[in-house]
Amino acid sequence: MAEIVRVRYAPSPTGHLHVGGVRTLLFNSLFAKKHGGKLILRIENTDQQRSTPEHEQTLLQDVISLGITPDEGPDQGGAFAPYRQSDRMKIYADHVQMLLDQNLAYPCFCSAETISAKREAALKLSRTPLYDGTCAKLSKEESSNRIKSGERAGIRFRAPNIDFVLKDEVRGSVEFKAGSVGDFLITRSPQSSEEEVALGIGMPTYNFACVVDDHLMGMTHIIRGEDHLSNTARQLMIYDAFHWDLPKFAHTAMVLGSDRQKLSKRNGDAGAHDYLAQGYLKEALLNFLAFLGWHPGSTLTPRSGHPEILTPEELAAAFDLDGLQKAPAVFDLEKLRWMNAQYMRLLPAERVAEAARSFFENSEIESVRLGMKLITSEWFVRMVDLLRMDHTLLSELPLASRILFEDSPALDEASKQALLGPESKAVLIALEAAIDAVPELTSEVFLGIQKQVGVSAQVKGKQLFMPIRIATTGASHGPEVKNIVPLLGKSRVLKRIRHTREQFQS
Ligand code: GLU
């Protein structure tokens, strides 16, 4: 029976989820979906200085807002719970003990200051700063006496002095030469928390906890950023020490900013929530990120007609590790904007409206905020459906909606000018009369009326269309008038025309 794919996204909760993290989460999620496997979310919070419960909440919220739901995780639970590393101390303590028992690890009493001073000294001599082995030679008895007398020790893993080769799904064979990694800490020295004192170990380090969990949680594939490649040397040593089978590793190329420098806030590395708050749709953001460092192996024919605009299902079907690229990917904000504009048109109007709602409800424009309280959801969807065609971001829609919410807006000078003169007057008089005479103002009815008004007032082209547009919408540009008037309805349109005539044509 084929093995069931299990992959994980294992963030350290140090703040908001940034685009690089979203991409890793997405690749794992697509891979799980493609193979009918499971996506596990694991919180790696063993660095308690940087990882806080508040940050964890922020991060979980960000994952939810992207619409990606793990199969197992701190909120979902699962057969391999707990999924938060700080809740797994007993498991780590047991595994540390196994290594201590086999003399594959030893207590280390060197203080952080000593280690850091030796490190500095090695760097000054242009040497790789490896642990110098001070505590490696202590006898078990000596170490245990020092611990009994109250000294605190971290646990250090004896790094074997042999070559390791990683067969990476993206990078091919990666060699880690013997001697490039010194003995490394797998747990920090215990702090005063009750649990740490009782278990006799401090918080595990990332490399140790990660391997223990990846093994116990049955991970089949580790898909993560290339920045973890150098950690993998230490991780391979731990797999080896426990005689555990290796999962498959795929280290994805880094994402560079548009200036080809390391991704930072300045060149695109905002949090996912920043992009959503700016008015990007999660669907567009995810589709965009999927193509950042990945390309489908064969030419696709997606429903959208565009080779890079794929539904989540199409993406999952197309995704494979072969398509992950070695070269760094460049974050192109213009492309993301383009992608968003496509999604504004492509998604069902209901979905765009749902995503747009908060921008309207929290708009700085008072008429929009107040208007939102008076309309039905159905009307709101129709309005968004009308406005979305001409815009790139959801956040642009409230301003564009003023033409629908404000019945007597202030006109600009050019619009006022366009209403002057006998032709404009004749157009609006005829328009008002014709609209008054119909029971309902549909697009077709309106087009008929417009034609009829042109004939009766003997004007055409701009001279006909401009006064009509300005009188009905209050602006000289915007979506097609024939689509706006049915949304306003007959009586509001009449009110607007009358108001315009009284104000500017009497
Ligand atoms: N916790 C690590 C991080 O947030 C990820 C580790 C991994 O994927 O192995 O960078």
Side-chain angles (χ1 to χ4, degrees), residues 106 108-110 115 129-136 156 182-184:
Y106 56 87
C108 174
F109 301 90
C110 297
I115 299 284
L130 305 180
Y131 179 63
D132 66 358
T134 306
C135 295
R156 212 173 264 281
D183 293 358
F184 58 92

Side-chain angles (χ1 to χ4, degrees), residues 8-13 24 42 44 206 210 214 222-225 227-228 235:
R8 85 307 194 268
Y9 177 56
S12 302
T24 305
R42 184 173 71 226
E44 299 205 326
Y206 154 68
C210 173
D214 282 341
I222 308 296
I223 306 169
R224 63 184 173 197
D227 48 335
H228 286 293
Q235 300 188 8

